[in-house]
Amino acid sequence: MSVRGVLRAMPTMLRVGFAESVAYRAEMFVWVLSTTMPLVNMVLWMAVAKHSPVGQYGQADFVSYFLATFAVRQLTSAWAAWIINWEVKQGTLAMRLLRPISPLWAYMFDNIAGFPLRLVVAVPVVVLSVVLVGADKAVPQHAWQWGLFLLAVLGGWAITFLANVAMGALSLFTDSSQKTMEVWMVLFFVCSGYMYPVELLPDGLRAVINWLPFRYQMGLPVELMTGAHDLPTALGLLARQWAWVLGMGTLALGIWKYGVRRFAAFGG
Amino acid sequence: MLRRYLRLFGVQLKASTLQALQYRVDFFTEGFTSLCWTFTALAPLFVVYGGRPEVEGWSFGQALLVVGWFTLLQGILEGAINPSLTGVVEHIRKGTLDFVLLKPADAQFLVSTQRFLPWRAFNVLTGVGLFFYAFSLLGHGPSPLGVLTSLVLLGTSTLLLYSLWILTVSAAFFVVRVDNLTYLFSSIFDFARWPSSVFKGVARGALTLVFTYVIPLALMTTFPAEAMLGRLPLTSLLGAVVGSLVFSWVARRVWIRSIGHYTSASS
């Protein structure tokens, strides 16, 4: 499939995906409600910071941090691993493989098409954050900060999506991909800044986390949204993030190509 | 009557256990993932208590007890409550609930006991492990009376959890897609991770009221932990017992009404 072919198919696939996301809007809303973890942690940290700030975070900082986390989680979530797993088990992947366009594009457009509806959830939360703690803490202040933030969200989504593809593709030749996903989720919860700002961890741990992909999925976009970094630091972290996007992309495509060959051998 | 139901319960449990015994390796994989998830529950606490000795009147060891109860109840939820009730949703979708309703036993009892996942209950062991760890940090054991009280509260917590679940599943008779309601339920249950007093500072204590009286999460994890520490007032204990009985009665009424709404596959 050439690049031109993909571009020709893209608008249609996005339209179909968007129509689907609107059709199942109630279901999506329930999924959104089930990501309350940032709010659970927000109340904990608010209680902790009640009398004195933790590190450089006071109560208002925690509110803006976790509301941003909630919003970023909506925008960067991917569920391709579950879909691939399910389609492999059902055997419907074979039908997708017959089409003249790689299934990976389909998963990707499906994910992107849900974006407008997710914005509908994320934007009010950001507005709420602005109301509660003021615009200077809740959202980027300058044009360059907005630019870097959007780049970080895109990178965060790309890492999440590609990691999903890699784990989903594992199900083509092992039956332990579900467990891999669970371990990934645990690491994501602990290392990504989803439960607490990474800045609060001891230096040694933080150095390790900076080499792992998880912080770039969640922590970095959130930090850029709340304006936690100056320009050089932000650029350095963004460079690492996109290095991970490339690395994860290579890994995902490698596993996928190998897995599809195996899958064809089973069905053929 | 009661004997017949106990026997039925035994039969259902045996069937599930036999099935679980076919997959013995699962015991270890479940154990491993259970320990991993427990670590995620503890991680914020380590970060919090790294800097200060106590939060809202809870020291690290005391807060560990709450996490322990949370983990233990999660084990009960995933091992004994969840599997059966997700089965109900499946029944409703396929129209096979008719077969359950036709059987000469109470429908709620039958659907609640249709499936257990014993290996999932590994979290119960992890929870008990956390209790030992917490008390070793506190430097004293729980009082015998405290243990007794917390056992009573274990009963009420399980009853509350089950009743909340029955209410969730009753919704399945009105809206059919409920499989993600299970996730929703689990995420609300997540609020039971911390001692309920941490919610005091949010919305002028409105949240504490909600989690005590509307969705009784505080009763499930904070009360038993306080009972172990021997600082739970007697009125709270009575409140928990009476509250859970009332709650289960309400859930039962709602269930019976919802069953009336069930349109079978044929009609």
Side-chain angles (χ1 to χ4, degrees):
Chain A
M1 191 80 190
S2 61
V3 175
R4 241 184 73 219
V6 172
L7 283 177
R8 269 226 323 268
M10 190 173 86
T12 315
M13 290 176 105
L14 284 177
R15 255 207 314 278
V16 172
F18 179 68
E20 268 183 358
S21 71
V22 173
Y24 293 115
R25 57 190 179 275
E27 197 184 345
M28 196 208 81
F29 192 64
V30 173
W31 279 121
V32 167
L33 283 178
S34 68
T35 51
T36 51
M37 189 61 94
L39 309 179
V40 175
N41 283 291
M42 183 172 85
V43 290
L44 172 74
W45 286 102
M46 278 170 74
V48 175
K50 200 165 159 181
H51 303 297
S52 60
V54 187
Q56 35 173 305
Y57 285 84
Q59 257 193 321
D61 298 305
F62 278 123
V63 172
S64 76
Y65 183 90
F66 283 111
L67 289 179
T69 306
F70 185 87
V72 170
R73 175 83 202 253
Q74 302 317 323
L75 301 180
T76 59
S77 63
W79 49 92
W82 279 269
I83 294 179
I84 297 173
N85 235 311
W86 193 79
E87 292 197 340
V88 169
K89 281 203 181 81
Q90 298 287 320
T92 43
L93 184 67
M95 285 190 330
R96 277 201 197 268
L97 287 168
L98 286 174
R99 291 178 190 167
I101 185 169
S102 168
L104 294 185
W105 290 110
Y107 298 134
M108 191 176 110
F109 292 140
D110 185 49
N111 205 155
I112 294 173
F115 207 74
L117 223 56
R118 293 176 162 268
L119 268 178
V120 171
V121 180
V123 170
V125 174
V126 176
V127 171
L128 177 73
S129 182
V130 171
V131 170
L132 287 177
V133 297
D136 54 325
K137 276 192 174 164
V139 287
Q141 292 306 293
H142 308 290
W144 65 267
Q145 284 179 319
W146 274 106
L148 293 186
F149 163 65
L150 291 175
L151 195 63
V153 168
L154 187 65
W157 171 80
I159 294 177
T160 311
F161 174 76
L162 291 167
N164 260 274
V165 170
M167 284 183 285
L170 280 178
S171 66
L172 289 161
F173 50 91
T174 68
D175 50 3
S176 61
S177 82
Q178 292 268 7
K179 290 278 172 258
T180 316
M181 276 189 253
E182 235 177 294
V183 173
W184 174 275
M185 275 311 271
V186 168
L187 287 170
F188 170 80
F189 274 46
V190 177
C191 307
S192 69
Y194 190 54
M195 298 183 113
Y196 35 78
V198 186
E199 305 284 318
L200 297 179
L201 291 171
D203 283 342
L205 258 179
R206 215 173 50 227
V208 174
I209 283 177
N210 278 345
W211 287 105
L212 297 174
F214 308 102
R215 182 183 180 178
Y216 306 111
Q217 282 181 281
M218 175 60 62
L220 180 63
V222 171
E223 288 152 21
L224 290 180
M225 185 167 168
T226 49
H229 298 304
D230 53 9
L231 187 58
T233 323
L235 285 176
L237 286 167
L238 270 171
R240 283 178 178 217
Q241 183 188 42
W242 283 88
W244 261 112
V245 172
L246 284 175
M248 199 53 93
T250 318
L251 183 73
L253 280 175
I255 298 180
W256 174 260
K257 283 213 164 86
Y258 174 75
V260 166
R261 269 214 306 278
R262 291 281 308 257
F263 183 74
F266 275 124
Chain B
M1 187 69 189
L2 184 68
R3 263 185 54 200
R4 182 162 152 258
Y5 274 106
L6 278 177
R7 218 178 57 229
L8 258 179
F9 182 73
V11 169
Q12 301 264 50
L13 191 60
K14 194 175 152 193
S16 291
T17 312
L18 284 176
Q19 202 176 16
L21 283 173
Q22 294 174 2
Y23 304 101
R24 273 181 298 264
V25 179
D26 277 7
F27 175 77
F28 294 103
T29 51
E30 286 298 340
F32 176 69
T33 45
S34 159
L35 290 175
C36 283
W37 282 114
T38 308
F39 182 67
T40 63
L42 293 178
L45 286 187
F46 283 125
V47 182
V48 167
Y49 287 99
R52 50 200 62 206
E54 70 165 39
V55 175
E56 295 285 356
W58 292 78
S59 71
F60 181 57
Q62 292 164 342
L64 265 185
L65 286 177
V66 178
V67 177
W69 276 100
F70 175 79
T71 313
L72 190 148
L73 285 177
Q74 222 174 11
I76 293 176
L77 181 70
E78 289 183 352
I81 299 178
N82 249 346
S84 285
L85 295 179
T86 31
V88 181
V89 177
E90 200 57 12
H91 275 314
I92 294 172
R93 215 169 49 81
K94 288 185 182 161
T96 45
L97 192 67
D98 300 21
F99 303 131
V100 179
L101 296 175
L102 287 171
K103 282 177 184 157
D106 184 73
Q108 188 185 342
F109 175 83
L110 280 179
V111 297
S112 307
T113 56
Q114 67 180 351
R115 195 149 172 258
F116 296 96
L117 297 173
W119 299 152
R120 271 293 161 91
F122 195 96
N123 272 330
V124 175
L125 298 179
T126 315
V128 173
L130 282 174
F131 294 154
F132 279 102
Y133 177 44
F135 277 113
S136 76
L137 283 180
L138 292 171
H140 63 82
S143 63
L145 186 67
V147 174
L148 207 64
T149 324
S150 61
L151 282 175
V152 171
L153 285 169
L154 175 64
T156 60
S157 302
T158 310
L159 192 60
L160 277 173
L161 205 53
Y162 172 72
S163 307
L164 275 171
W165 236 126
I166 284 287
L167 289 173
T168 313
V169 167
S170 296
F173 289 98
F174 303 93
V175 281
V176 174
R177 290 281 333 233
V178 187
D179 46 345
N180 51 21
L181 275 186
T182 60
Y183 286 94
L184 179 63
F185 184 83
S186 314
S187 71
I188 292 175
F189 185 56
D190 273 334
F191 280 93
R193 275 165 195 269
W194 319 129
S196 60
S197 53
V198 301
F199 296 107
K200 271 201 300 222
V202 184
R204 297 197 201 86
L207 263 187
T208 313
L209 287 178
V210 168
F211 289 143
T212 311
Y213 298 105
V214 185
I215 311 171
L217 296 176
L219 270 65
M220 290 188 214
T221 53
T222 309
F223 279 27
E226 286 188 319
M228 273 187 163
L229 293 166
R231 61 183 198 195
L232 185 76
L234 195 61
T235 44
S236 301
L237 177 65
L238 286 175
V241 174
V242 174
S244 65
L245 288 174
V246 169
F247 218 80
S248 61
W249 180 82
V250 169
R252 172 80 183 164
R253 305 305 319 161
V254 170
W255 164 264
I256 289 175
R257 290 212 47 167
S258 309
I259 276 277
H261 264 271
Y262 174 65
T263 45
S264 72
S266 52
S267 56

